[in-house]
């Protein structure tokens, strides 16, 4: 592979856009594609080339990153759909690498990796944690499944995107690790929201609660980042309710297959269903508290927010 890897980036959403800007900042030649083309404008303005299709991006790249929503979406951009030769697989060179950084099913990951391997193309599953803040600041934690030698080749790319890169095992194990992450995130989110709701019902000053609790043993990423947003009534998405629902569906599918009972996570899944029924699917996951408020008849924010 050449000195500076040519990087392709597919999926310029809340995460993909800042990640692609960080690759440009690190000096990688970058070619991008987004289904809604207008969302690529700002990245092209910053110096990226615009690909005509996922296949065209792959033809012009050594490493192609995908950052789309769900398993069928990765299948669509990587494998193409309905036999139309537009997928990454149709353009990828032998010896190139596809790095899927979306959060999707471990089983689907393994089957895509198999299809790519048949064409001499390697795959890494490399989902991330750290939110849009981590994507902007290049401080993501990256959980990698696949051949460790391929990971080493891609390391300069990962170093431009995150702070911690962990090899978790063969293809699929990056995604398994990410689902562990989501189980823990969901439990913490649920605990933060219940705690704030309890404080509100008891008449506590929630700003004081936030300040005190985040300085002690109950601090967490969720409390530090989402607590202040809840209190100020900021429900704009960093990570959307519907994407956490998708992740918990993936957790539930895998746990059901293994016969593993999961308690807190699956109760939280029902609360998120309430949130979706309240029309909150596109809000940030901090809107979890709105579902609890609706069920408990308590408001944990100022009435206007
Ligand atoms: P997002 O803002 O909704 O962006 C999704 C991107 O995927 C958009 O560019 C969208 O294109 C594209 N896409 C979706 N389906 C597609 C399809 N069938 N074909 C082509 N493009 C498609 O979501 P996000 O927050 O960036 O999340 C992306 C992934 O990262 C998800 O798997 C999510 O679970 C994971 N993740 C998110 C966070 C977070 O905090 N947001 C943190 C860690 C991991 P359009 O612009 O055309 O809609």
């Amino acid at each position: 592979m050449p000195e500076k890897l040519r990087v392709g980036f597919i999926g310029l959403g809340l995460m993909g856009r800042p990640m692609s800007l960080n690759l440009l900042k690190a000096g990688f030649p970058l070619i991008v594609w987004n289904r809604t083309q207008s969302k690529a404008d700002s990245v092209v303005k910053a110096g990226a080339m615009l690909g005509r299709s996922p296949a065209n991006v792959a033809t012009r790249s050594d490493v192609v990153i995908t950052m789309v929503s769900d398993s069928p979406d990765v299948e669509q951009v990587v494998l193409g759909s309905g036999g139309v030769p537009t997928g990454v697989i149709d353009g990828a060179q032998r010896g190139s690498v596809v790095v899927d950084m979306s959060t999707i099913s471990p089983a689907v990951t393994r089957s895509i990796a198999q299809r790519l391997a048949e064409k001499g193309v390697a795959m890494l599953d490399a989902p991330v944690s750290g939110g849009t803040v981590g994507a902007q600041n290049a401080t993501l934690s990256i959980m990698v499944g696949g051949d460790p030698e391929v990971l080493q080749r891609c390391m300069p790319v990962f170093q431009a995107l995150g702070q911690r890169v962990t090899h978790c095992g063969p293809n699929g194990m990056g995604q398994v690790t990410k689902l562990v992450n989501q189980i823990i995130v969901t439990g913490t989110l649920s605990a933060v929201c219940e705690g704030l709701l309890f404080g509100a019902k008891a008449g506590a000053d929630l700003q004081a609660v936030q300040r005190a609790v985040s300085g002690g043993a109950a601090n967490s990423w969720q409390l530090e980042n989402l607590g202040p947003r809840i209190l100020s009534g900021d429900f704009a998405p960093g990570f959307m309710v519907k994407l956490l629902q998708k992740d918990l569906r993936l957790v539930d599918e895998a746990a059901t297959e293994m016969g593993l009972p999961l308690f807190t996570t699956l109760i939280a899944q029902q609360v998120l269903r309430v949130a979706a029924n309240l029309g909150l699917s596109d809000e940030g996951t901090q809107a979890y508290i709105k579902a609890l408020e609706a069920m408990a008849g308590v408001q944990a924010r100022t009435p206007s927010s």
Side-chain angles (χ1 to χ4, degrees), residues 10-19 33-39 54 66-77 100-104 127-133 135 140 175 178 181-182 221 237-240 242-244 246-247 250:
I10 294 171
L12 302 169
L14 287 169
M15 293 295 284
R17 185 181 168 279
M19 289 166 74
W33 181 87
N34 196 67
R35 180 178 59 182
T36 308
Q37 197 182 310
S38 58
K39 284 202 209 159
T66 50
M67 192 54 165
V68 295
S69 307
D70 200 348
S71 312
D73 307 311
V74 177
E75 286 180 315
Q76 204 169 349
V77 296
D100 178 37
M101 304 191 82
S102 332
T103 303
I104 68 161
V128 302
S129 180
T132 47
V133 181
L140 294 168
Q175 295 294 354
K178 171 70 189 194
N181 187 85
Q182 294 312 77
W221 190 100
F239 182 47
M240 285 180 258
K242 67 183 177 194
L243 287 181
L244 184 54
K246 176 262 301 178
D247 291 353
L250 297 172

Short mmCIF file of all heavy atoms in Angstrom, two decimals, residues 10-19 33-39 54 66-77 100-104 127-133 135 140 175 178 181-182 221 237-240 242-244 246-247 250, ligand 1:
data_model
loop_
_atom_site.label_atom_id
_atom_site.label_comp_id
_atom_site.label_asym_id
_atom_site.label_seq_id
_atom_site.Cartn_x
_atom_site.Cartn_y
_atom_site.Cartn_z
N ILE A 10 -18.04 6.58 3.41
CA ILE A 10 -19.44 6.47 2.98
C ILE A 10 -20.35 6.62 4.21
O ILE A 10 -20.26 5.84 5.15
CB ILE A 10 -19.67 5.11 2.30
CG1 ILE A 10 -18.86 5.08 1.00
CG2 ILE A 10 -21.14 4.84 2.05
CD1 ILE A 10 -18.81 3.72 0.34
N GLY A 11 -21.21 7.66 4.19
CA GLY A 11 -22.13 7.89 5.31
C GLY A 11 -21.69 9.09 6.14
O GLY A 11 -20.92 8.95 7.09
N LEU A 12 -22.19 10.28 5.74
CA LEU A 12 -21.74 11.52 6.38
C LEU A 12 -22.83 12.08 7.29
O LEU A 12 -23.28 13.21 7.13
CB LEU A 12 -21.34 12.54 5.30
CG LEU A 12 -20.25 12.05 4.34
CD1 LEU A 12 -20.10 12.99 3.15
CD2 LEU A 12 -18.92 11.87 5.06
N GLY A 13 -23.27 11.25 8.23
CA GLY A 13 -24.31 11.68 9.18
C GLY A 13 -23.68 12.36 10.38
O GLY A 13 -22.60 12.94 10.29
N LEU A 14 -24.39 12.29 11.52
CA LEU A 14 -23.91 12.97 12.73
C LEU A 14 -22.51 12.53 13.12
O LEU A 14 -21.71 13.33 13.60
CB LEU A 14 -24.88 12.68 13.89
CG LEU A 14 -26.23 13.41 13.82
CD1 LEU A 14 -27.20 12.85 14.87
CD2 LEU A 14 -26.05 14.90 14.02
N MET A 15 -22.18 11.26 12.90
CA MET A 15 -20.85 10.75 13.22
C MET A 15 -19.89 10.87 12.03
O MET A 15 -18.74 11.31 12.17
CB MET A 15 -20.94 9.26 13.63
CG MET A 15 -21.66 9.00 14.91
SD MET A 15 -20.83 9.68 16.36
CE MET A 15 -19.49 8.52 16.59
N GLY A 16 -20.35 10.45 10.86
CA GLY A 16 -19.47 10.36 9.69
C GLY A 16 -18.89 11.70 9.26
O GLY A 16 -17.73 11.79 8.85
N ARG A 17 -19.69 12.76 9.36
CA ARG A 17 -19.21 14.08 8.91
C ARG A 17 -17.99 14.54 9.73
O ARG A 17 -16.94 14.79 9.16
CB ARG A 17 -20.36 15.09 8.95
CG ARG A 17 -19.98 16.42 8.39
CD ARG A 17 -21.12 17.44 8.45
NE ARG A 17 -20.59 18.75 8.16
CZ ARG A 17 -19.98 19.50 9.04
NH1 ARG A 17 -19.83 19.09 10.29
NH2 ARG A 17 -19.50 20.67 8.69
N PRO A 18 -18.09 14.63 11.08
CA PRO A 18 -16.89 15.04 11.82
C PRO A 18 -15.73 14.07 11.69
O PRO A 18 -14.56 14.49 11.68
CB PRO A 18 -17.38 15.14 13.28
CG PRO A 18 -18.70 14.45 13.33
CD PRO A 18 -19.27 14.50 11.96
N MET A 19 -16.01 12.78 11.56
CA MET A 19 -14.91 11.81 11.40
C MET A 19 -14.17 12.05 10.09
O MET A 19 -12.94 12.03 10.03
CB MET A 19 -15.47 10.37 11.46
CG MET A 19 -15.95 9.97 12.84
SD MET A 19 -16.95 8.46 12.83
CE MET A 19 -15.71 7.21 12.54
N TRP A 33 -18.86 9.75 -0.17
CA TRP A 33 -20.17 9.56 -0.82
C TRP A 33 -21.23 9.54 0.27
O TRP A 33 -21.03 8.96 1.33
CB TRP A 33 -20.21 8.25 -1.61
CG TRP A 33 -21.52 8.03 -2.32
CD1 TRP A 33 -21.86 8.48 -3.55
CD2 TRP A 33 -22.66 7.29 -1.84
NE1 TRP A 33 -23.14 8.09 -3.87
CE2 TRP A 33 -23.66 7.36 -2.84
CE3 TRP A 33 -22.94 6.59 -0.66
CZ2 TRP A 33 -24.90 6.75 -2.69
CZ3 TRP A 33 -24.18 5.99 -0.51
CH2 TRP A 33 -25.16 6.07 -1.53
N ASN A 34 -22.33 10.23 0.02
CA ASN A 34 -23.48 10.16 0.93
C ASN A 34 -24.75 10.03 0.11
O ASN A 34 -24.89 10.67 -0.94
CB ASN A 34 -23.55 11.41 1.82
CG ASN A 34 -24.48 11.20 3.00
OD1 ASN A 34 -24.19 10.39 3.89
ND2 ASN A 34 -25.60 11.89 3.03
N ARG A 35 -25.68 9.19 0.59
CA ARG A 35 -26.93 8.96 -0.15
C ARG A 35 -27.63 10.28 -0.45
O ARG A 35 -28.04 10.52 -1.58
CB ARG A 35 -27.82 8.03 0.69
CG ARG A 35 -29.14 7.70 0.07
CD ARG A 35 -29.91 6.75 0.94
NE ARG A 35 -30.17 7.30 2.28
CZ ARG A 35 -30.78 6.65 3.25
NH1 ARG A 35 -31.20 5.40 3.06
NH2 ARG A 35 -30.98 7.22 4.43
N THR A 36 -27.76 11.14 0.55
CA THR A 36 -28.29 12.49 0.32
C THR A 36 -27.09 13.38 0.01
O THR A 36 -26.34 13.75 0.91
CB THR A 36 -29.02 13.00 1.59
OG1 THR A 36 -29.95 11.99 2.00
CG2 THR A 36 -29.74 14.31 1.33
N GLN A 37 -26.92 13.70 -1.28
CA GLN A 37 -25.64 14.30 -1.70
C GLN A 37 -25.34 15.63 -1.02
O GLN A 37 -24.18 15.94 -0.73
CB GLN A 37 -25.62 14.47 -3.22
CG GLN A 37 -24.20 14.67 -3.74
CD GLN A 37 -24.16 14.89 -5.23
OE1 GLN A 37 -24.75 14.11 -5.97
NE2 GLN A 37 -23.49 15.95 -5.66
N SER A 38 -26.41 16.41 -0.75
CA SER A 38 -26.17 17.74 -0.16
C SER A 38 -25.39 17.67 1.16
O SER A 38 -24.66 18.59 1.50
CB SER A 38 -27.51 18.46 0.06
OG SER A 38 -28.33 17.67 0.89
N LYS A 39 -25.52 16.54 1.87
CA LYS A 39 -24.82 16.43 3.16
C LYS A 39 -23.32 16.26 2.97
O LYS A 39 -22.55 16.36 3.93
CB LYS A 39 -25.37 15.24 3.96
CG LYS A 39 -26.72 15.51 4.58
CD LYS A 39 -26.95 14.55 5.75
CE LYS A 39 -28.41 14.26 5.94
NZ LYS A 39 -28.66 13.03 6.69
N PRO A 54 -20.89 4.20 -4.13
CA PRO A 54 -19.98 3.45 -3.25
C PRO A 54 -18.92 2.68 -4.06
O PRO A 54 -17.75 2.61 -3.66
CB PRO A 54 -20.92 2.51 -2.50
CG PRO A 54 -22.21 3.26 -2.44
CD PRO A 54 -22.30 3.98 -3.77
N THR A 66 -17.22 2.66 6.12
CA THR A 66 -18.67 2.85 6.05
C THR A 66 -19.16 3.26 7.43
O THR A 66 -18.73 2.70 8.45
CB THR A 66 -19.40 1.57 5.59
OG1 THR A 66 -18.95 0.46 6.38
CG2 THR A 66 -19.11 1.27 4.13
N MET A 67 -20.04 4.27 7.48
CA MET A 67 -20.60 4.75 8.75
C MET A 67 -22.07 5.06 8.49
O MET A 67 -22.48 6.22 8.39
CB MET A 67 -19.83 5.99 9.22
CG MET A 67 -20.14 6.40 10.65
SD MET A 67 -19.91 5.01 11.79
CE MET A 67 -19.89 5.81 13.36
N VAL A 68 -22.87 4.00 8.31
CA VAL A 68 -24.29 4.15 8.03
C VAL A 68 -25.10 3.61 9.21
O VAL A 68 -24.54 3.42 10.29
CB VAL A 68 -24.66 3.52 6.67
CG1 VAL A 68 -23.97 4.26 5.54
CG2 VAL A 68 -24.33 2.06 6.61
N SER A 69 -26.41 3.38 9.06
CA SER A 69 -27.24 3.17 10.25
C SER A 69 -27.25 1.72 10.76
O SER A 69 -26.82 1.44 11.87
CB SER A 69 -28.67 3.63 9.96
OG SER A 69 -28.68 4.95 9.47
N ASP A 70 -27.76 0.80 9.93
CA ASP A 70 -28.13 -0.52 10.44
C ASP A 70 -27.57 -1.61 9.51
O ASP A 70 -27.03 -1.31 8.44
CB ASP A 70 -29.68 -0.57 10.48
CG ASP A 70 -30.23 -1.63 11.41
OD1 ASP A 70 -29.47 -2.50 11.87
OD2 ASP A 70 -31.45 -1.60 11.64
N SER A 71 -27.77 -2.87 9.89
CA SER A 71 -27.21 -3.98 9.10
C SER A 71 -27.63 -3.95 7.62
O SER A 71 -26.77 -4.05 6.74
CB SER A 71 -27.62 -5.33 9.70
OG SER A 71 -27.41 -5.36 11.08
N PRO A 72 -28.94 -3.76 7.31
CA PRO A 72 -29.31 -3.76 5.88
C PRO A 72 -28.67 -2.60 5.12
O PRO A 72 -28.44 -2.71 3.91
CB PRO A 72 -30.84 -3.58 5.91
CG PRO A 72 -31.27 -3.93 7.28
CD PRO A 72 -30.12 -3.64 8.19
N ASP A 73 -28.40 -1.50 5.81
CA ASP A 73 -27.78 -0.34 5.15
C ASP A 73 -26.32 -0.63 4.80
O ASP A 73 -25.85 -0.26 3.72
CB ASP A 73 -27.89 0.90 6.06
CG ASP A 73 -29.32 1.13 6.50
OD1 ASP A 73 -30.21 1.12 5.63
OD2 ASP A 73 -29.56 1.30 7.70
N VAL A 74 -25.61 -1.32 5.69
CA VAL A 74 -24.22 -1.70 5.38
C VAL A 74 -24.23 -2.71 4.24
O VAL A 74 -23.42 -2.62 3.29
CB VAL A 74 -23.50 -2.27 6.63
CG1 VAL A 74 -22.09 -2.73 6.26
CG2 VAL A 74 -23.44 -1.22 7.73
N GLU A 75 -25.17 -3.66 4.29
CA GLU A 75 -25.26 -4.64 3.19
C GLU A 75 -25.48 -3.91 1.87
O GLU A 75 -24.88 -4.24 0.84
CB GLU A 75 -26.41 -5.62 3.45
CG GLU A 75 -26.08 -6.61 4.53
CD GLU A 75 -27.21 -7.59 4.80
OE1 GLU A 75 -28.38 -7.16 4.89
OE2 GLU A 75 -26.92 -8.79 4.94
N GLN A 76 -26.35 -2.89 1.91
CA GLN A 76 -26.68 -2.18 0.67
C GLN A 76 -25.47 -1.42 0.11
O GLN A 76 -25.17 -1.52 -1.07
CB GLN A 76 -27.82 -1.20 0.94
CG GLN A 76 -28.60 -0.86 -0.29
CD GLN A 76 -29.88 -0.11 0.05
OE1 GLN A 76 -30.29 -0.02 1.21
NE2 GLN A 76 -30.52 0.43 -0.94
N VAL A 77 -24.77 -0.67 0.96
CA VAL A 77 -23.65 0.12 0.41
C VAL A 77 -22.43 -0.76 0.10
O VAL A 77 -21.68 -0.44 -0.80
CB VAL A 77 -23.23 1.32 1.31
CG1 VAL A 77 -24.34 2.33 1.42
CG2 VAL A 77 -22.74 0.90 2.66
N ASP A 100 -15.94 -1.22 8.46
CA ASP A 100 -17.30 -0.80 8.82
C ASP A 100 -17.31 -0.30 10.26
O ASP A 100 -17.06 -1.06 11.19
CB ASP A 100 -18.30 -1.95 8.64
CG ASP A 100 -19.70 -1.51 9.05
OD1 ASP A 100 -20.05 -0.32 8.78
OD2 ASP A 100 -20.42 -2.31 9.67
N MET A 101 -17.60 1.01 10.41
CA MET A 101 -17.59 1.61 11.75
C MET A 101 -19.00 1.83 12.29
O MET A 101 -19.19 2.33 13.39
CB MET A 101 -16.79 2.93 11.72
CG MET A 101 -15.37 2.68 11.20
SD MET A 101 -14.21 4.06 11.38
CE MET A 101 -13.69 3.87 13.08
N SER A 102 -20.03 1.43 11.51
CA SER A 102 -21.42 1.47 11.99
C SER A 102 -21.57 0.42 13.10
O SER A 102 -20.75 -0.48 13.24
CB SER A 102 -22.38 1.10 10.86
OG SER A 102 -21.87 1.42 9.59
N THR A 103 -22.67 0.53 13.86
CA THR A 103 -22.99 -0.52 14.83
C THR A 103 -24.03 -1.43 14.18
O THR A 103 -25.16 -0.99 13.94
CB THR A 103 -23.58 0.08 16.12
OG1 THR A 103 -22.64 1.02 16.65
CG2 THR A 103 -23.85 -1.00 17.15
N ILE A 104 -23.64 -2.68 13.88
CA ILE A 104 -24.58 -3.60 13.22
C ILE A 104 -24.45 -5.00 13.83
O ILE A 104 -23.65 -5.23 14.74
CB ILE A 104 -24.37 -3.65 11.68
CG1 ILE A 104 -23.04 -4.28 11.30
CG2 ILE A 104 -24.51 -2.26 11.07
CD1 ILE A 104 -22.97 -4.76 9.87
N PRO A 127 -16.66 -0.69 15.15
CA PRO A 127 -17.62 0.25 15.72
C PRO A 127 -16.96 1.10 16.82
O PRO A 127 -15.88 0.74 17.31
CB PRO A 127 -18.70 -0.65 16.31
CG PRO A 127 -18.03 -1.96 16.54
CD PRO A 127 -16.98 -2.09 15.48
N VAL A 128 -17.62 2.19 17.15
CA VAL A 128 -16.98 3.18 18.03
C VAL A 128 -17.88 3.55 19.20
O VAL A 128 -19.10 3.40 19.13
CB VAL A 128 -16.66 4.47 17.24
CG1 VAL A 128 -15.74 4.16 16.07
CG2 VAL A 128 -17.93 5.17 16.74
N SER A 129 -17.26 4.09 20.23
CA SER A 129 -18.00 4.70 21.32
C SER A 129 -17.37 6.05 21.64
O SER A 129 -16.17 6.23 21.44
CB SER A 129 -17.96 3.79 22.55
OG SER A 129 -18.68 4.39 23.61
N GLY A 130 -18.19 6.97 22.13
CA GLY A 130 -17.68 8.31 22.46
C GLY A 130 -18.59 9.40 21.96
O GLY A 130 -18.38 10.57 22.26
N GLY A 131 -19.59 9.02 21.18
CA GLY A 131 -20.60 9.99 20.74
C GLY A 131 -20.08 11.00 19.74
O GLY A 131 -18.93 10.91 19.27
N THR A 132 -20.95 11.96 19.41
CA THR A 132 -20.55 12.98 18.43
C THR A 132 -19.42 13.85 18.99
O THR A 132 -18.60 14.36 18.23
CB THR A 132 -21.76 13.87 18.05
OG1 THR A 132 -22.43 14.26 19.25
CG2 THR A 132 -22.74 13.12 17.18
N VAL A 133 -19.37 13.97 20.32
CA VAL A 133 -18.27 14.73 20.94
C VAL A 133 -16.94 14.02 20.63
O VAL A 133 -15.96 14.65 20.23
CB VAL A 133 -18.47 14.80 22.49
CG1 VAL A 133 -17.37 15.61 23.14
CG2 VAL A 133 -19.82 15.37 22.83
N ALA A 135 -16.42 11.98 18.18
CA ALA A 135 -16.17 12.03 16.72
C ALA A 135 -15.54 13.37 16.36
O ALA A 135 -14.59 13.43 15.57
CB ALA A 135 -17.49 11.84 15.97
N LEU A 140 -12.56 8.95 19.96
CA LEU A 140 -13.40 7.75 20.00
C LEU A 140 -12.63 6.55 20.55
O LEU A 140 -11.40 6.48 20.40
CB LEU A 140 -13.90 7.44 18.58
CG LEU A 140 -14.85 8.47 17.97
CD1 LEU A 140 -15.03 8.22 16.48
CD2 LEU A 140 -16.20 8.46 18.69
N GLN A 175 -18.09 -5.87 16.89
CA GLN A 175 -19.52 -5.59 17.07
C GLN A 175 -20.04 -6.19 18.39
O GLN A 175 -20.88 -5.58 19.06
CB GLN A 175 -20.34 -6.14 15.89
CG GLN A 175 -20.05 -5.47 14.55
CD GLN A 175 -20.46 -3.99 14.51
OE1 GLN A 175 -21.06 -3.45 15.44
NE2 GLN A 175 -20.12 -3.32 13.41
N LYS A 178 -19.03 -3.82 20.98
CA LYS A 178 -19.88 -2.62 20.94
C LYS A 178 -21.24 -2.88 21.60
O LYS A 178 -21.82 -2.01 22.27
CB LYS A 178 -20.05 -2.16 19.49
CG LYS A 178 -21.07 -1.07 19.27
CD LYS A 178 -20.66 0.30 19.81
CE LYS A 178 -21.82 1.27 19.74
NZ LYS A 178 -21.51 2.65 19.91
N ASN A 181 -20.88 -2.56 25.15
CA ASN A 181 -20.86 -1.12 25.43
C ASN A 181 -22.28 -0.57 25.52
O ASN A 181 -22.62 0.20 26.43
CB ASN A 181 -20.09 -0.44 24.29
CG ASN A 181 -19.85 1.04 24.51
OD1 ASN A 181 -18.88 1.41 25.16
ND2 ASN A 181 -20.72 1.88 24.00
N GLN A 182 -23.14 -0.98 24.60
CA GLN A 182 -24.50 -0.43 24.57
C GLN A 182 -25.35 -0.93 25.73
O GLN A 182 -26.23 -0.21 26.20
CB GLN A 182 -25.18 -0.76 23.21
CG GLN A 182 -24.54 -0.06 22.02
CD GLN A 182 -24.31 1.42 22.26
OE1 GLN A 182 -23.39 1.83 22.96
NE2 GLN A 182 -25.17 2.26 21.68
N TRP A 221 -20.17 8.94 31.81
CA TRP A 221 -20.24 9.72 30.56
C TRP A 221 -21.67 10.23 30.39
O TRP A 221 -21.89 11.38 30.02
CB TRP A 221 -19.84 8.84 29.38
CG TRP A 221 -19.66 9.59 28.09
CD1 TRP A 221 -18.48 9.99 27.54
CD2 TRP A 221 -20.70 10.02 27.18
NE1 TRP A 221 -18.71 10.66 26.36
CE2 TRP A 221 -20.05 10.70 26.11
CE3 TRP A 221 -22.09 9.93 27.17
CZ2 TRP A 221 -20.76 11.25 25.03
CZ3 TRP A 221 -22.80 10.49 26.11
CH2 TRP A 221 -22.13 11.14 25.06
N PRO A 237 -30.26 15.68 18.95
CA PRO A 237 -29.58 14.39 18.97
C PRO A 237 -28.06 14.49 18.83
O PRO A 237 -27.56 15.18 17.96
CB PRO A 237 -30.16 13.66 17.75
CG PRO A 237 -30.55 14.76 16.81
CD PRO A 237 -30.95 15.93 17.67
N GLY A 238 -27.35 13.82 19.77
CA GLY A 238 -26.00 13.39 19.49
C GLY A 238 -26.19 11.96 18.98
O GLY A 238 -25.75 11.60 17.90
N PHE A 239 -26.91 11.18 19.76
CA PHE A 239 -27.22 9.80 19.41
C PHE A 239 -28.75 9.64 19.52
O PHE A 239 -29.32 9.82 20.59
CB PHE A 239 -26.49 8.87 20.37
CG PHE A 239 -26.66 7.41 20.08
CD1 PHE A 239 -26.52 6.90 18.80
CD2 PHE A 239 -26.94 6.52 21.12
CE1 PHE A 239 -26.67 5.54 18.55
CE2 PHE A 239 -27.09 5.16 20.88
CZ PHE A 239 -26.95 4.69 19.58
N MET A 240 -29.39 9.31 18.39
CA MET A 240 -30.86 9.33 18.35
C MET A 240 -31.50 8.14 19.07
O MET A 240 -30.97 7.03 19.04
CB MET A 240 -31.34 9.34 16.89
CG MET A 240 -31.17 10.67 16.19
SD MET A 240 -31.75 10.61 14.49
CE MET A 240 -30.21 10.47 13.59
N LYS A 242 -33.90 6.39 18.10
CA LYS A 242 -34.16 5.25 17.19
C LYS A 242 -32.89 4.41 16.95
O LYS A 242 -32.97 3.21 16.71
CB LYS A 242 -34.76 5.74 15.86
CG LYS A 242 -33.86 6.56 14.99
CD LYS A 242 -34.61 7.03 13.75
CE LYS A 242 -33.75 7.93 12.89
NZ LYS A 242 -34.50 8.66 11.89
N LEU A 243 -31.71 5.04 17.07
CA LEU A 243 -30.48 4.25 16.88
C LEU A 243 -30.17 3.41 18.12
O LEU A 243 -29.67 2.29 18.00
CB LEU A 243 -29.30 5.17 16.53
CG LEU A 243 -29.33 5.74 15.10
CD1 LEU A 243 -28.10 6.62 14.85
CD2 LEU A 243 -29.41 4.64 14.05
N LEU A 244 -30.52 3.94 19.32
CA LEU A 244 -30.34 3.10 20.52
C LEU A 244 -31.34 1.94 20.48
O LEU A 244 -31.00 0.81 20.85
CB LEU A 244 -30.50 3.92 21.80
CG LEU A 244 -30.24 3.16 23.10
CD1 LEU A 244 -28.88 2.46 23.11
CD2 LEU A 244 -30.37 4.06 24.33
N LYS A 246 -32.33 0.49 17.81
CA LYS A 246 -31.72 -0.46 16.87
C LYS A 246 -30.65 -1.30 17.56
O LYS A 246 -30.59 -2.52 17.43
CB LYS A 246 -31.14 0.34 15.70
CG LYS A 246 -30.38 -0.41 14.64
CD LYS A 246 -28.89 -0.38 14.78
CE LYS A 246 -28.28 1.01 14.76
NZ LYS A 246 -26.83 1.02 14.96
N ASP A 247 -29.81 -0.65 18.37
CA ASP A 247 -28.73 -1.38 19.06
C ASP A 247 -29.31 -2.40 20.04
O ASP A 247 -28.80 -3.52 20.15
CB ASP A 247 -27.82 -0.40 19.80
CG ASP A 247 -27.00 0.45 18.84
OD1 ASP A 247 -27.03 0.19 17.62
OD2 ASP A 247 -26.32 1.39 19.30
N LEU A 250 -30.42 -5.41 18.33
CA LEU A 250 -29.28 -6.29 18.02
C LEU A 250 -28.87 -7.08 19.27
O LEU A 250 -28.57 -8.28 19.19
CB LEU A 250 -28.08 -5.47 17.52
CG LEU A 250 -28.28 -4.71 16.20
CD1 LEU A 250 -27.09 -3.80 15.92
CD2 LEU A 250 -28.49 -5.67 15.03
P1 LIG B 1 -27.15 9.43 11.22
O1 LIG B 1 -26.80 10.82 11.58
O2 LIG B 1 -28.56 9.03 11.09
O3 LIG B 1 -26.38 9.08 9.84
C1 LIG B 1 -26.63 7.90 9.15
C2 LIG B 1 -25.88 7.95 7.82
O4 LIG B 1 -26.08 6.71 7.14
C3 LIG B 1 -26.38 9.05 6.88
O5 LIG B 1 -25.27 9.53 6.15
C4 LIG B 1 -27.34 8.27 5.96
O6 LIG B 1 -27.52 8.85 4.68
C5 LIG B 1 -26.60 6.96 5.84
N1 LIG B 1 -27.45 5.83 5.45
C6 LIG B 1 -28.40 5.22 6.21
N2 LIG B 1 -28.98 4.22 5.52
C7 LIG B 1 -28.38 4.19 4.29
C8 LIG B 1 -28.54 3.37 3.14
N3 LIG B 1 -29.41 2.37 3.11
N4 LIG B 1 -27.75 3.64 2.07
C9 LIG B 1 -26.87 4.65 2.09
N5 LIG B 1 -26.66 5.46 3.15
C10 LIG B 1 -27.41 5.24 4.24
O7 LIG B 1 -26.49 8.39 12.28
P2 LIG B 1 -25.14 8.50 13.13
O8 LIG B 1 -25.48 8.99 14.49
O9 LIG B 1 -24.08 9.15 12.33
O10 LIG B 1 -24.81 6.94 13.30
C11 LIG B 1 -24.16 6.18 12.30
C12 LIG B 1 -23.74 4.83 12.92
O11 LIG B 1 -22.86 5.07 14.03
C13 LIG B 1 -24.93 4.01 13.48
O12 LIG B 1 -24.72 2.65 13.26
C14 LIG B 1 -24.89 4.35 14.97
O13 LIG B 1 -25.49 3.34 15.74
C15 LIG B 1 -23.40 4.47 15.21
N6 LIG B 1 -22.97 5.31 16.35
C16 LIG B 1 -23.55 6.54 16.56
C17 LIG B 1 -23.11 7.31 17.64
C18 LIG B 1 -23.70 8.67 17.96
O14 LIG B 1 -23.46 9.19 19.06
N7 LIG B 1 -24.43 9.30 17.05
C19 LIG B 1 -22.09 6.84 18.48
C20 LIG B 1 -21.50 5.61 18.19
C21 LIG B 1 -21.96 4.85 17.12
P3 LIG B 1 -28.60 10.04 4.45
O15 LIG B 1 -27.85 11.30 4.80
O16 LIG B 1 -28.94 9.95 3.01
O17 LIG B 1 -29.76 9.77 5.35
#
